[in-house]
Amino acid sequence: MLESKTYIVFFKYAIPSILGLLSISSANIVDGYFIGNYIGAVGLAAINISFPILAILFGLGLMFAVGSSVTAGKLMGEKKVNEASNIFTKSVIIVALLSITLSLLLHFNIEFILDILNVKNSLREMTLEYLPTLLLFLPFLITAIVVDYFVRVDENPNLSFIACLVSAVVNIILDYLFIVKFDWGLSAAAYATGISQIAIIITLIPHFFLKKATLKLIKPKGSFLSIIQMSKNGISEFINEASAGITVLIFNYIMLKNFGALGVASYTIIGYFIMISIMISFAIADSMQPVISKNYGAQYFNRIKSFLKLGFSSVLFIEIVLSILAILTPELLINLFLENRDLRTKEITLEFISYAWPAFLFSGLNIMITSYLTSMQKAKYSALIAILRSLFLPIFFIFVLPIFLGTKGIFMALAFAEFITFLTALYLFFKNSPNKVSKNLKS
C-alpha cells in the first residue's frame, strides 16, 4: 500500500469495493423488482417510509467504522500495530452493544413512530409488515460495517467483496423463495434482507484469526471513550446517512401531499437509480480511505495526489455513463419495478427522472471530496459538505423551488442541491489539497 505502484493499489482496492457495493445495490434493486411486481407500488412506498429510521442507524455504524478505521490505518502506517488492534476490538464491542440497544428500543416503539410520521391505512399496514422485522436484524449489518472497514484497512479488500457478494446472492435467492414461491408478503423481504446481513458477518470474521492478518481481536485496553472521540472523524458519513434519512422523510411528506402513496412509490424508484450512482462513488471513495490514511501517516503526499487523480477520473466517467442511461432509457429502467397497471406511478417517475438526472454528475464528485477530507482528518470540512448535500440544500430547494416552478421544483431539488454543494466542496478541496497539507506540516 505504501510502496506498490499507485494504479495497482488503486485497482486492488477500488475494483473489489465497487463489485461488493454493486452486489449489495443489485440485491436492493432485486428487492424492488420482486416487491414492485409481486406486492405492488404501496409495498415500494412502505420501504421508503422505513428508510429514514434505517439510514440513521446505518449512519451511526458508518461513523464508528470510518472514524476508528482511519485512525487505525494511520497507526498501521506508523507501524503501531497493537494500538490499531486495540482500536478495532473496542470499536466492534461498542457498535454491537449500541446497535442492539437502539434496534430494540425502536422495535418496541414502532407504532408511536408511525403516528408521528402520520402513516395511515394500507401504507401503515405494509410498513408494519416490514420495518419491525428488519430492525431485529439490523445490529448484524451495523457491526458488519465496522468489521468490513477494518478488513480493508488490513489489506484484504477481496474478502470484503466476497462478503458483499455472498450477502447479495443470499438476499436474491431468499427474496424469490419467500415472496414468489411462499407468498409471505412484505415481511418476506425483511427476513431475506436480515438473513443476508448475518451472512456478511460470518464471511468477514474469520479473517482476523488468520496468520496473515495484522489486526487481531484482543483483550481491550484503556478507556472506550477514546473510540467515541475517534468517531468524530467519521461524522461526515453519519451526517450523510442521517441527513439523507431526514431528507427522504421530508420528500415522502411532500410526495404524499402532492401525489399520494404512488408519489412515494415513484420517489422510491428514483431512489434506486440514485443509490446505484452513490454506491459506485462511495465504493471508489471508501476504497481510497485506508490507502490515503496510511500514505498520510507515512507523509507520502505525491502518492496521495496520484490516487486522487485516479479516483476523480473514475468517478466522473461512471457518473457520465449513468447520466446518459437516465436520459436515453428511463422507461426501460422504470419498467423493472412496476407492473403495467401502475401507469400513474410510471408517469410521475418519468417526469421526476427527467429533472433529477443532473444530480448524478455532481454527487460522485462531492462524495469523493468528502472521503478525501475524512482521510486527511479534516472532519469539520467533510461534515460541512455532507450536511449541505444530504440535508440543508435538498430541504431548502424542495420548499423554495416549487414556489416558482410548481411540482417541477420538487423534481429539480436534488440536482440543484448537488450542484451548489459541488461548488463549496471544490473550494474546500483546493484549500486542503495534498500540497497545502504538506506545506502546513513542514512549517
Side-chain angles (χ1 to χ4, degrees):
M1 191 182 288
L2 296 175
E3 297 176 359
S4 301
K5 291 182 179 179
T6 53
Y7 71 89
I8 293 176
V9 176
F10 175 80
F11 287 114
K12 176 185 175 182
Y13 278 80
I15 290 176
S17 184
I18 292 170
L19 292 175
L21 284 180
L22 277 179
S23 298
I24 292 177
S25 300
S26 65
N28 288 330
I29 290 168
V30 171
D31 267 351
Y33 167 79
F34 283 120
I35 292 166
N37 285 279
Y38 292 92
I39 296 174
V42 178
L44 289 174
I47 290 179
N48 216 35
I49 291 294
S50 305
F51 176 80
I53 297 170
L54 303 177
I56 291 170
L57 294 177
F58 186 79
L60 192 67
L62 271 180
M63 181 177 72
F64 281 97
V66 172
S68 55
S69 67
V70 165
T71 304
K74 186 173 182 292
L75 288 169
M76 291 170 75
E78 297 168 350
K79 311 298 183 185
K80 299 176 181 177
V81 176
N82 286 336
E83 292 180 39
S85 291
N86 192 39
I87 289 171
F88 163 58
T89 304
K90 289 194 289 187
S91 297
V92 171
I93 293 171
I94 283 182
V95 167
L97 293 175
L98 187 61
S99 61
I100 290 170
T101 302
L102 291 176
S103 295
L104 288 174
L105 184 65
L106 289 168
H107 177 82
F108 291 114
N109 289 280
I110 198 67
E111 292 273 7
F112 175 69
I113 293 169
L114 294 183
D115 286 339
I116 294 174
L117 299 178
N118 198 30
V119 178
K120 299 177 180 178
N121 304 322
S122 60
L123 185 55
R124 185 186 185 95
E125 291 174 11
M126 287 279 192
T127 305
L128 286 172
E129 276 190 57
Y130 180 77
L131 183 55
T133 301
L134 190 59
L135 282 172
L136 294 178
F137 288 99
L138 210 62
F140 293 102
L141 175 62
I142 296 173
T143 306
I145 294 168
V146 175
V147 176
D148 177 68
Y149 268 76
F150 279 95
V151 164
R152 284 186 278 146
V153 165
D154 208 16
E155 303 194 24
N156 196 354
N158 289 330
L159 182 62
S160 175
F161 159 62
I162 291 169
C164 293
L165 181 61
V166 168
S167 174
V169 171
V170 169
N171 192 37
I172 291 168
I173 292 172
L174 294 182
D175 268 340
Y176 174 74
L177 290 174
F178 293 170
I179 297 174
V180 181
K181 287 295 184 181
F182 301 155
D183 194 24
W184 286 352
L186 197 56
S187 63
Y191 280 109
T193 301
I195 294 169
S196 71
Q197 290 166 5
I198 296 174
I200 298 176
I201 286 275
I202 293 172
T203 307
L204 290 176
I205 282 293
H207 163 82
F208 301 100
F209 296 94
L210 299 176
K211 287 184 179 180
K212 67 177 182 179
T214 302
L215 294 172
K216 302 289 184 181
L217 285 164
I218 62 174
K219 184 178 180 180
K221 301 174 183 177
S223 172
F224 279 75
L225 292 176
S226 61
I227 302 300
I228 297 174
Q229 282 290 106
M230 290 171 199
S231 69
K232 70 181 181 182
N233 200 41
I235 193 69
S236 62
E237 279 69 22
F238 173 73
I239 291 171
N240 260 329
E241 294 297 326
S243 299
I246 295 168
T247 301
V248 167
L249 184 68
I250 292 170
F251 266 78
N252 283 340
Y253 169 77
I254 298 293
M255 295 301 281
L256 273 171
K257 183 178 178 182
N258 287 274
F259 305 102
L262 297 184
V264 178
S266 172
Y267 180 44
T268 307
I269 296 169
I270 296 297
Y272 286 128
F273 301 152
I274 294 172
M275 178 182 65
I276 295 171
S277 167
I278 288 176
M279 279 291 194
I280 295 174
S281 299
F282 264 127
I284 295 172
D286 281 354
S287 70
M288 289 296 93
Q289 278 190 344
V291 176
I292 291 175
S293 63
K294 276 194 176 181
N295 280 273
Y296 177 46
Q299 297 190 22
Y300 293 163
F301 291 100
N302 284 332
R303 288 175 64 81
I304 291 174
K305 286 190 286 185
S306 297
F307 288 125
L308 287 175
K309 288 177 183 177
L310 289 165
F312 279 119
S313 299
S314 301
V315 165
L316 187 58
F317 172 75
I318 289 166
E319 299 300 347
I320 290 172
V321 171
L322 291 174
S323 297
I324 292 171
L325 288 174
I327 294 168
L328 298 181
T329 63
E331 194 162 358
L332 180 65
L333 299 172
I334 292 166
N335 285 338
L336 291 172
F337 302 102
L338 293 171
E339 295 178 291
N340 290 328
R341 67 173 182 267
D342 291 319
L343 296 178
R344 179 55 182 152
T345 310
K346 287 183 181 180
E347 290 175 8
I348 299 169
T349 310
L350 281 170
E351 187 177 7
F352 201 148
I353 201 169
S354 69
Y355 290 105
W357 69 263
F360 296 155
L361 289 176
F362 300 106
S363 62
L365 297 174
N366 289 333
I367 289 166
M368 189 68 197
I369 293 172
T370 302
S371 182
Y372 162 74
L373 292 170
T374 298
S375 299
M376 302 297 282
Q377 301 192 16
K378 304 291 182 181
K380 64 180 180 180
Y381 294 129
S382 59
L384 175 61
I385 298 170
I387 201 167
L388 282 177
R389 70 174 294 270
S390 300
L391 182 64
F392 178 73
L393 290 177
I395 292 173
F396 173 77
F397 284 121
I398 200 173
F399 283 112
V400 172
L401 291 181
I403 296 173
F404 304 99
L405 301 171
T407 55
K408 292 179 182 178
I410 299 171
F411 305 142
M412 297 170 70
L414 294 175
F416 269 78
E418 292 287 2
F419 174 67
I420 299 301
T421 300
F422 174 68
L423 297 179
T424 306
L426 201 59
Y427 167 76
L428 292 174
F429 174 76
F430 284 119
K431 184 179 178 181
N432 297 277
S433 66
N435 286 338
K436 293 281 181 69
V437 175
S438 177
K439 286 179 182 177
N440 290 338
L441 287 175
K442 290 176 181 178
S443 61

